[in-house]
Coordinates of all heavy atoms in Angstrom, one line a residue:
A113 N -50.9 -40.8 -54.1 CA -52.2 -40.7 -53.4 C -53.1 -41.8 -53.9 O -53.8 -42.4 -53.1 CB -52.8 -39.3 -53.6
A114 N -53.2 -42.0 -55.3 CA -54.1 -43.0 -55.8 C -53.8 -44.4 -55.4 O -54.6 -45.2 -55.2 CB -54.1 -42.8 -57.3
H115 N -52.5 -44.6 -55.2 CA -52.0 -46.0 -54.8 C -51.9 -46.2 -53.3 O -51.4 -47.2 -52.9 CB -50.7 -46.4 -55.6 CG -51.0 -46.6 -57.0 ND1 -51.0 -45.5 -58.0 CD2 -51.2 -47.7 -57.8 CE1 -51.2 -46.0 -59.2 NE2 -51.3 -47.3 -59.1
G116 N -52.2 -45.2 -52.6 CA -52.2 -45.3 -51.1 C -50.8 -45.4 -50.5 O -50.7 -46.0 -49.4
L117 N -49.8 -44.8 -51.2 CA -48.5 -44.8 -50.6 C -48.4 -43.9 -49.4 O -49.2 -42.9 -49.3 CB -47.5 -44.5 -51.6 CG -47.4 -45.4 -52.9 CD1 -46.2 -44.9 -53.8 CD2 -47.2 -46.8 -52.5
A118 N -47.5 -44.2 -48.5 CA -47.4 -43.3 -47.3 C -45.9 -43.2 -46.9 O -45.5 -43.7 -45.9 CB -48.2 -44.0 -46.1
D119 N -45.2 -42.5 -47.8 CA -43.7 -42.4 -47.6 C -43.3 -41.1 -47.1 O -42.1 -40.8 -47.1 CB -43.0 -42.8 -48.9 CG -43.5 -42.0 -50.1 OD1 -44.4 -41.2 -49.9 OD2 -43.0 -42.1 -51.2
D120 N -44.2 -40.2 -46.8 CA -43.8 -38.9 -46.2 C -45.0 -38.4 -45.4 O -46.1 -39.1 -45.3 CB -43.4 -37.9 -47.2 CG -44.4 -37.5 -48.2 OD1 -45.6 -37.9 -48.1 OD2 -44.1 -36.7 -49.2
L121 N -44.9 -37.2 -44.8 CA -45.9 -36.7 -43.9 C -47.2 -36.4 -44.7 O -48.3 -36.7 -44.2 CB -45.4 -35.5 -43.2 CG -46.4 -34.9 -42.1 CD1 -46.7 -36.0 -41.0 CD2 -45.8 -33.7 -41.4
L122 N -47.1 -35.9 -45.9 CA -48.3 -35.5 -46.7 C -49.1 -36.7 -47.1 O -50.3 -36.7 -46.9 CB -47.9 -34.7 -47.9 CG -49.0 -34.3 -48.8 CD1 -50.1 -33.5 -48.1 CD2 -48.5 -33.4 -50.0
T123 N -48.4 -37.7 -47.6 CA -49.2 -38.9 -48.0 C -49.8 -39.7 -46.8 O -50.9 -40.2 -46.9 CB -48.3 -39.9 -48.9 OG1 -47.1 -40.1 -48.2 CG2 -48.1 -39.3 -50.2
N124 N -49.1 -39.6 -45.7 CA -49.7 -40.2 -44.5 C -51.0 -39.4 -44.1 O -52.0 -40.0 -43.7 CB -48.7 -40.2 -43.3 CG -47.9 -41.4 -43.3 OD1 -48.2 -42.4 -42.6 ND2 -46.7 -41.4 -44.0
T125 N -50.9 -38.1 -44.2 CA -52.0 -37.2 -43.9 C -53.2 -37.5 -44.8 O -54.4 -37.6 -44.3 CB -51.6 -35.7 -44.0 OG1 -50.6 -35.5 -43.1 CG2 -52.8 -34.8 -43.7
L126 N -53.0 -37.7 -46.1 CA -54.0 -38.0 -47.0 C -54.7 -39.3 -46.6 O -56.0 -39.5 -46.8 CB -53.5 -38.1 -48.4 CG -53.0 -36.8 -49.0 CD1 -52.3 -37.1 -50.4 CD2 -54.2 -35.9 -49.3
L127 N -54.0 -40.3 -46.1 CA -54.6 -41.6 -45.7 C -55.4 -41.5 -44.4 O -56.4 -42.3 -44.2 CB -53.5 -42.7 -45.5 CG -52.9 -43.2 -46.8 CD1 -51.8 -44.2 -46.5 CD2 -54.0 -43.8 -47.7
T128 N -55.1 -40.6 -43.5 CA -55.8 -40.5 -42.3 C -56.9 -39.4 -42.3 O -57.8 -39.4 -41.4 CB -54.8 -40.1 -41.1 OG1 -54.2 -38.9 -41.4 CG2 -53.8 -41.2 -40.9
A129 N -57.0 -38.6 -43.3 CA -58.0 -37.6 -43.4 C -59.4 -38.2 -43.7 O -59.5 -39.1 -44.5 CB -57.7 -36.6 -44.5
R130 N -60.4 -37.7 -42.9 CA -61.8 -38.1 -43.2 C -62.6 -36.9 -43.5 O -63.9 -37.0 -43.4 CB -62.3 -38.8 -41.9 CG -61.6 -40.2 -41.7 CD -61.8 -41.1 -42.9 NE -61.1 -42.4 -42.6 CZ -59.9 -42.7 -43.1 NH1 -59.2 -41.8 -43.7 NH2 -59.4 -43.9 -42.9
C131 N -62.0 -35.8 -43.9 CA -62.7 -34.6 -44.3 C -62.6 -34.5 -45.8 O -62.0 -35.3 -46.5 CB -61.9 -33.4 -43.6 SG -60.2 -33.3 -44.1
P132 N -63.2 -33.5 -46.4 CA -63.0 -33.3 -47.9 C -61.6 -33.1 -48.2 O -60.8 -32.5 -47.5 CB -63.8 -32.0 -48.1 CG -64.8 -31.9 -47.0 CD -64.1 -32.5 -45.8
V133 N -61.2 -33.7 -49.3 CA -59.8 -33.6 -49.9 C -59.9 -33.1 -51.3 O -60.6 -33.6 -52.1 CB -59.1 -35.0 -49.8 CG1 -57.7 -34.9 -50.4 CG2 -59.0 -35.5 -48.4
V134 N -59.1 -32.0 -51.5 CA -59.1 -31.4 -52.9 C -57.7 -31.5 -53.4 O -56.7 -31.2 -52.7 CB -59.5 -29.9 -52.8 CG1 -59.5 -29.3 -54.2 CG2 -60.9 -29.8 -52.2
F135 N -57.6 -31.9 -54.7 CA -56.3 -31.9 -55.4 C -56.4 -30.9 -56.5 O -57.4 -30.9 -57.3 CB -56.0 -33.3 -56.0 CG -55.7 -34.4 -55.0 CD1 -56.8 -35.1 -54.5 CD2 -54.4 -34.6 -54.6 CE1 -56.5 -36.1 -53.6 CE2 -54.2 -35.6 -53.6 CZ -55.2 -36.4 -53.1
A136 N -55.4 -30.0 -56.6 CA -55.4 -29.0 -57.7 C -54.1 -29.3 -58.6 O -53.0 -28.9 -58.2 CB -55.3 -27.6 -57.2
P137 N -54.3 -30.2 -59.6 CA -53.1 -30.6 -60.4 C -52.4 -29.4 -61.1 O -53.1 -28.5 -61.5 CB -53.7 -31.6 -61.4 CG -55.0 -32.0 -60.8 CD -55.5 -30.8 -60.1
A138 N -51.1 -29.6 -61.3 CA -50.4 -28.7 -62.2 C -49.2 -29.5 -62.7 O -48.4 -30.0 -61.9 CB -49.9 -27.5 -61.4
M139 N -49.1 -29.5 -64.0 CA -48.0 -30.2 -64.7 C -48.0 -29.9 -66.2 O -48.9 -29.2 -66.6 CB -48.1 -31.7 -64.5 CG -49.4 -32.3 -65.1 SD -49.9 -33.9 -64.4 CE -50.5 -33.5 -62.8
H140 N -47.0 -30.4 -66.9 CA -47.0 -30.2 -68.3 C -48.2 -31.0 -69.0 O -48.7 -32.0 -68.4 CB -45.7 -30.6 -69.0 CG -44.7 -29.5 -69.0 ND1 -44.1 -29.0 -67.9 CD2 -44.3 -28.7 -70.1 CE1 -43.3 -28.0 -68.3 NE2 -43.4 -27.8 -69.6
T141 N -48.7 -30.5 -70.1 CA -49.8 -31.1 -70.8 C -49.7 -32.6 -71.1 O -50.6 -33.3 -70.8 CB -50.1 -30.3 -72.1 OG1 -50.2 -28.9 -71.9 CG2 -51.3 -30.9 -72.8
E142 N -48.5 -32.9 -71.5 CA -48.3 -34.4 -71.8 C -48.4 -35.2 -70.6 O -49.0 -36.4 -70.7 CB -46.9 -34.6 -72.4 CG -46.7 -33.9 -73.8 CD -46.3 -32.5 -73.7 OE1 -46.3 -31.9 -72.6 OE2 -46.1 -31.9 -74.8
M143 N -48.0 -34.8 -69.5 CA -48.1 -35.5 -68.2 C -49.6 -35.6 -67.8 O -50.1 -36.6 -67.3 CB -47.2 -34.9 -67.1 CG -45.8 -34.8 -67.5 SD -44.8 -33.9 -66.2 CE -44.8 -35.1 -64.9

Side-chain angles (χ1 to χ4, degrees):
H115 289 82
L117 300 184
D119 53 357
D120 63 5
L121 186 57
L122 178 53
T123 49
N124 273 270
T125 298
L126 291 171
L127 287 177
T128 57
R130 294 299 179 265
C131 59
V133 177
V134 179
F135 293 89
M139 64 198 73
H140 269 71
T141 303
E142 293 83 358
M143 300 174 75

